[in-house]
């Protein structure tokens, strides 16, 4: 395997660069939207009109001309912030700097295709066979488009990592519903152990995998039967029809005299050879969220009707012997499959100190993976990879950065355990790096989606900020110990929202009339653009904060002597899956134990 293009020193240099940028701009991300009006956040941090911010963010800093009345002030700026007042005075400069300090702007992440090509080249150099696939099923038949994209993209990478390390086992940490685990097992013939702390998830994954295996066997049997039938009825005339370029069912056949419609015979030949299953087609368009109902129905529908059963007494001796032999062969094959390709869901809370051999008796060298592991579980997966000699490679995609615990939290409210999720690298620990929960919450925002209008639910944020003004003015409450919760989705109006929230907070709602509440709404409604613009600034900074968190994890792997390769790899399309980056690591061959 080729070494990563960035050394530890280069990673540290990029971390320093991002930290310097965030030291100036993080005040925006740290501001809490709930306190937007009570703390007059806009005037504290921004010195330009909201319309200018929205224009600059939407244009992506394409505009280069600066407003004349602020040119003198902007000459004394850093990343768009005035060095004296610490307020934003040049949005275009900020947007441009944010792009340069995001992971794509830093320009050292590998693409998924580059990683796969690297693995393939290494495989060809070692004369290893190509990665085998089992044609089990198409994942979009039982997952929504987002999950299907994630599972297909990540599973191929994991399978290539497993083959590169010559291992057949995968440990899926935080396996959840077991989609990735099931696909790796059924599609790539890997033995997968899915570990999740929720017994409900474990039991659900086990039942789902049972249905998937049933569907997979029926699907393969159905496909094999279709191929056999096609081969048996194949004629030279059908072969000639199938060879015509661009021919699909329902298309015109090109002839010397122009297009002509398919004859009934040709259409019958094509539809029979394609062996379309009405049950599969009908269910493929169902709502992807109803996967349980879909699978339970589909697994029955795709199984072909059995032929009428012939009593054993009416079978010839030759036929009885043939069936006995086939049953023995099938049992032997099933036994071999069970040892080779199995998904075993396990319920356990795992950390780097967890003894995997106590959970998995048959543990061998393995690849440890995590698909959108929440909060501290992602850094714990990397610690586990480093600490366990039997783990040959890691592929970790984290999410929910706001749930990370921080070692150097000044309030000491988050990191109650001895090992925290951030920072992970010794380099940032030596600097006592601190990010804050609000900033990490901002890191979860999806810039690509917001840029296409799939944006923030502004009205709910506006309602909550104005409610905080009401709590300050009438209930002497600046910080509520009890969260309002999901009141907005149930409210019919702002007045209804406030009354529901007051009841949730167990406060006396009789203090305010409906007109009093509506007056607050009307007063702050004219300033809603400020909140919109401020949140767009948060969205602009989100990739930079996420970049710091991921660079910290990469730096941690770079610091380990027995990790021979490590990289950040973009696995997913950020529009489909905003948390699209994986931390990949491989150990030196000589550092692994063999069972």
């Amino acid at each position: 395997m080729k070494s990563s293009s960035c050394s530890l020193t280069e990673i540290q240099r990029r971390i320093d660069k991002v930290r310097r940028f965030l030291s100036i701009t993080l005040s925006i991300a740290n501001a809490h939207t709930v306190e937007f009006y009570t703390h007059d956040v806009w005037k504290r941090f921004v010195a330009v009109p909201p319309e200018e911010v929205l224009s600059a963010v939407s244009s992506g800093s394409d505009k280069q001309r600066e407003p004349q009345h602020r040119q003198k002030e902007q000459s004394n700026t850093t990343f768009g912030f005035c060095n004296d007042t610490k307020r934003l005075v040049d949005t275009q400069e900020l947007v441009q700097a944010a792009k340069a300090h995001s992971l794509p702007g830093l320009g050292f992440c590998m693409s998924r295709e580059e990683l796969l090509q690297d693995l393939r080249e290494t495989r060809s150099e070692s004369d290893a066979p190509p990665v085998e696939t089992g044609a089990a099923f198409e994942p979009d038949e039982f997952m929504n488009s987002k999950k299907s994209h994630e599972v297909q993209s990540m599973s191929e990478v994991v399978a290539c990592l497993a083959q590169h390390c010559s291992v057949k086992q995968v440990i899926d940490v935080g396996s959840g519903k077991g989609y990735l685990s099931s696909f790796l097992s059924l599609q790539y013939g890997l033995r997968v152990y899915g570990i999740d702390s929720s017994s409900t998830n474990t039991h659900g994954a086990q039942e789902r995998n049972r249905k998937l295996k049933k569907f997979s066997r029926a699907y393969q049997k159905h496909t094999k039967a279709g191929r056999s039938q096609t081969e048996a009825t194949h004629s030279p005339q059908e072969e000639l029809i199938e060879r015509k370029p661009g021919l699909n069912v329902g298309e015109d056949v090109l002839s010397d005299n122009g297009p002509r419609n398919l004859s009934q015979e040709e259409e019958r030949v094509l539809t029979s050879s394609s062996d379309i299953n009405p049950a599969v087609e009908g269910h493929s368009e169902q709502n992807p969220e109803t996967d349980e109902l879909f699978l339970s129905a589909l697994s029955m529908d795709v199984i072909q009707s059995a032929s009428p059963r012939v009593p054993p007494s009416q079978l010839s001796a030759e036929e009885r012997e043939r069936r006995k032999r086939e049953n023995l062969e099938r049992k032997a094959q099933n036994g071999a499959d069970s040892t080779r390709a199995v998904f075993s869901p396990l319920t356990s809370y795992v950390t780097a100190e967890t003894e995997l051999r106590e959970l998995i008796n048959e543990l061998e060298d393995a690849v440890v993976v995590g698909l959108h592991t929440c909060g501290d579980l992602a850094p714990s997966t990397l610690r586990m990879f480093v600490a366990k000699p039997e783990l040959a490679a890691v592929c970790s995609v984290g999410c929910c950065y706001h749930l990370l615990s921080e070692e150097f939290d000044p309030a000491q409210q988050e990191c109650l355990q001895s090992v925290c999720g951030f920072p992970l690298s010794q380099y940032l620990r030596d600097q006592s790096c601190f990010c804050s929960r609000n900033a990490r919450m901002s890191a979860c925002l999806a810039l690509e989606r917001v840029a296409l209008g799939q944006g923030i639910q502004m009205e709910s944020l506006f309602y909550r900020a104005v409610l905080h003004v009401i709590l300050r003015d009438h209930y002497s409450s600046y910080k509520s110990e009890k969260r309002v919760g999901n009141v907005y989705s149930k409210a019919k109006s702002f007045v209804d929202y406030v009354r529901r929230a007051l009841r949730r907070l167990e406060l006396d709602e009789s203090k305010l009339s409906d007109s009093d509440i509506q007056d607050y709404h009307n007063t702050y409604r004219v300033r809603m653009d400020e909140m919109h613009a401020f949140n767009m600034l948060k969205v602009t900074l989100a990739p930079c904060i996420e970049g710091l968190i991921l660079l910290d994890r990469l730096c941690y792997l770079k610091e380990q002597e027995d990790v021979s390769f490590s990289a950040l790899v973009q696995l997913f399309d950020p529009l489909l899956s905003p948390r699209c980056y994986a931390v990949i690591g491989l150990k030196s061959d000589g550092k692994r134990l063999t069972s």
Side-chain angles (χ1 to χ4, degrees):
M1 187 75 181
K2 298 176 182 177
S3 61
S4 177
S5 58
C6 287
S7 65
L8 174 59
T9 302
E10 290 171 324
I11 296 297
Q12 292 172 344
R13 190 178 298 121
R14 283 169 168 81
I15 288 176
D16 292 341
K17 183 178 180 181
V18 175
R19 286 198 69 198
R20 179 176 179 272
F21 171 74
L22 291 177
S23 69
I24 303 296
T25 62
L26 205 59
S27 58
I28 298 288
N30 276 329
H32 204 305
T33 308
V34 168
E35 301 168 342
F36 189 79
Y37 297 121
T38 56
H39 289 188
D40 210 358
V41 169
W42 183 261
K43 289 184 179 179
R44 284 177 60 198
F45 297 112
V46 185
V48 298
E51 297 79 15
E52 185 173 317
V53 171
L54 293 172
S55 175
V57 172
S58 63
S59 66
S61 76
D62 292 335
K63 298 179 181 179
Q64 299 299 321
R65 186 180 181 86
E66 298 177 348
Q68 295 294 323
H69 66 280
R70 281 195 299 278
Q71 282 185 355
K72 183 177 180 180
E73 185 180 6
Q74 289 175 355
S75 63
N76 185 32
T77 62
T78 305
F79 304 130
F81 284 79
C82 175
N83 294 331
D84 299 325
T85 66
K86 310 301 180 185
R87 298 170 71 196
L88 177 65
V89 295
D90 188 343
T91 312
Q92 293 175 24
E93 183 182 352
L94 173 62
V95 172
Q96 194 169 11
K99 285 186 175 181
H101 290 83
S102 65
L103 288 178
L106 293 172
F108 72 96
C109 287
M110 293 182 73
S111 69
R112 176 177 173 273
E113 291 69 27
E114 288 172 335
L115 176 66
L116 290 175
Q117 181 62 31
D118 201 353
L119 290 168
R120 292 187 187 108
E121 289 177 359
T122 307
R123 184 175 64 230
S124 62
E125 291 172 2
S126 61
D127 296 325
V131 176
E132 297 181 0
T133 59
F137 47 78
E138 292 297 327
D140 53 7
E141 292 175 340
F142 66 97
M143 306 178 200
N144 60 40
S145 58
K146 176 181 181 292
K147 184 59 67 177
S148 173
H149 169 67
E150 293 166 352
V151 167
Q152 288 188 87
S153 299
M154 186 166 177
S155 61
E156 184 178 4
V157 169
V158 173
C160 286
L161 288 172
Q163 188 188 57
H164 173 83
C165 300
S166 301
V167 302
K168 284 292 185 180
Q169 290 189 0
V170 174
I171 298 175
D172 184 3
V173 178
S175 54
K177 295 183 178 180
Y179 288 126
L180 177 65
S181 298
S182 295
F183 194 75
L184 284 169
S185 171
L186 294 172
Q187 188 78 356
Y188 290 99
L190 295 166
R191 187 176 183 90
V192 185
Y193 297 94
I195 304 177
D196 198 275
S197 61
S198 168
S199 59
T200 302
N201 279 344
T202 302
H203 295 150
Q206 199 161 17
E207 178 63 15
R208 188 175 292 104
N209 187 64
R210 182 188 66 80
K211 294 178 180 179
L212 289 177
K213 289 171 70 175
K214 187 175 181 181
F215 168 55
S216 175
R217 288 193 295 268
Y219 182 85
Q220 294 181 57
K221 179 179 178 182
H222 192 69
T223 305
K224 185 183 294 185
R227 285 199 302 267
S228 301
Q229 181 181 359
T230 302
E231 293 170 0
T233 59
H234 213 276
S235 68
Q237 181 181 4
E238 295 165 5
E239 184 176 356
L240 179 64
I241 293 173
E242 290 180 348
R243 284 182 179 177
K244 293 183 178 180
L247 186 61
N248 290 314
V249 178
E251 284 188 350
D252 292 340
V253 180
L254 296 178
S255 65
D256 295 337
N257 299 321
R260 65 176 177 84
N261 292 327
L262 288 172
S263 66
Q264 291 183 352
E265 181 181 2
E266 291 168 337
E267 193 163 341
R268 185 169 61 253
V269 168
L270 290 173
T271 54
S272 64
S273 64
S274 63
D275 198 25
I276 297 174
N277 188 329
V280 175
E281 288 192 328
H283 284 284
S284 65
E285 296 178 358
Q286 293 293 322
N287 186 341
E289 298 297 332
T290 59
D291 59 293
E292 285 292 341
L293 293 174
F294 164 71
L295 282 174
S296 61
L298 183 61
S299 60
M300 297 300 296
D301 292 342
V302 298
I303 300 176
Q304 294 177 332
S305 301
S307 302
R309 186 175 184 274
V310 179
S313 60
Q314 298 180 19
L315 296 175
S316 64
E318 182 180 359
E319 178 65 15
R320 285 199 298 271
E321 184 62 28
R322 185 186 68 80
R323 292 192 178 189
K324 181 179 179 181
R325 186 170 60 253
E326 286 184 351
N327 285 335
L328 290 174
E329 291 175 353
R330 187 181 302 111
K331 288 181 179 180
Q333 181 62 40
N334 289 340
D337 289 343
S338 66
T339 59
R340 181 177 71 252
V342 171
F343 167 41
S344 303
L346 305 169
T347 302
S348 178
Y349 180 84
V350 293
T351 66
E353 289 73 37
T354 301
E355 285 297 333
L356 295 176
R357 294 187 184 277
E358 294 181 1
L359 294 175
I360 307 168
N361 295 329
E362 307 84 1
L363 181 64
E364 302 172 359
D365 284 1
V367 177
V368 61
V369 303
L371 174 54
H372 289 154
T373 45
C374 286
D376 286 347
L377 187 55
S380 289
T381 302
L382 298 179
R383 286 193 177 102
M384 187 185 303
F385 164 68
V386 170
K388 309 299 180 186
E390 61 267 26
L391 298 180
V394 63
C395 180
S396 171
V397 181
C399 69
C400 303
Y401 301 129
H402 61 292
L403 297 179
L404 281 170
S405 60
E406 292 202 54
E407 182 175 358
F408 301 103
D409 176 16
Q412 293 296 322
Q413 294 177 345
E414 294 182 338
C415 192
L416 301 178
Q417 62 271 30
S418 58
V419 179
C420 296
F422 181 85
L424 185 61
S425 67
Q426 192 61 46
Y427 183 70
L428 282 182
R429 293 184 69 198
D430 289 342
Q431 300 178 51
S432 302
C433 182
F434 172 67
C435 197
S436 89
R437 189 178 188 277
N438 285 346
R440 287 183 279 107
M441 183 76 79
S442 298
C444 298
L445 297 171
L447 175 62
E448 290 81 6
R449 286 185 174 180
V450 174
L452 289 183
Q454 304 172 19
I456 306 167
Q457 183 63 260
M458 283 306 307
E459 189 174 64
S460 64
L461 296 176
F462 172 72
Y463 277 16
R464 184 63 184 87
V466 179
L467 171 65
H468 206 61
V469 177
I470 294 175
L471 294 176
R472 179 197 63 184
D473 292 351
H474 296 276
Y475 299 92
S476 300
S477 176
Y478 290 89
K479 196 169 186 179
S480 174
E481 295 178 358
K482 197 170 184 179
R483 294 186 179 182
V484 173
N486 189 21
V487 173
Y488 174 79
S489 63
K490 303 172 184 177
K492 299 176 182 178
S493 64
F494 178 71
V495 173
D496 186 31
Y497 170 85
V498 171
R499 295 213 174 278
R500 287 175 179 269
L502 293 176
R503 288 194 293 270
R504 177 70 64 87
L505 298 172
E506 298 179 349
L507 297 174
D508 182 9
E509 60 177 303
S510 64
K511 285 186 176 183
L512 297 169
S513 65
D514 288 355
S515 61
D516 292 334
I517 296 173
Q518 189 61 39
D519 285 344
Y520 275 96
H521 177 277
N522 297 340
T523 298
Y524 287 96
R525 182 74 184 183
V526 295
R527 296 180 57 189
M528 192 172 176
D529 281 349
E530 293 177 357
M531 177 178 281
H532 185 197
F534 196 82
N535 277 285
M536 291 305 295
L537 291 175
K538 284 192 170 190
V539 171
T540 301
L541 296 174
C544 308
I545 305 169
E546 179 183 33
L548 177 64
I549 294 170
L550 295 179
L551 284 172
D552 171 55
R553 295 174 184 180
L554 178 61
C555 185
Y556 171 75
L557 292 186
K558 294 287 183 185
E559 292 170 346
Q560 312 307 315
E561 292 183 358
D562 61 342
V563 176
S564 60
F565 172 87
S566 55
L568 285 177
V569 181
Q570 183 176 334
L571 287 190
F572 311 135
D573 179 349
L575 282 175
L576 284 174
S577 182
R579 306 282 76 79
C580 61
Y581 293 102
V583 181
I584 305 286
L586 287 164
K587 285 181 183 172
S588 306
D589 291 339
K591 297 292 184 179
R592 297 204 320 268
L593 293 180
T594 55
S595 301

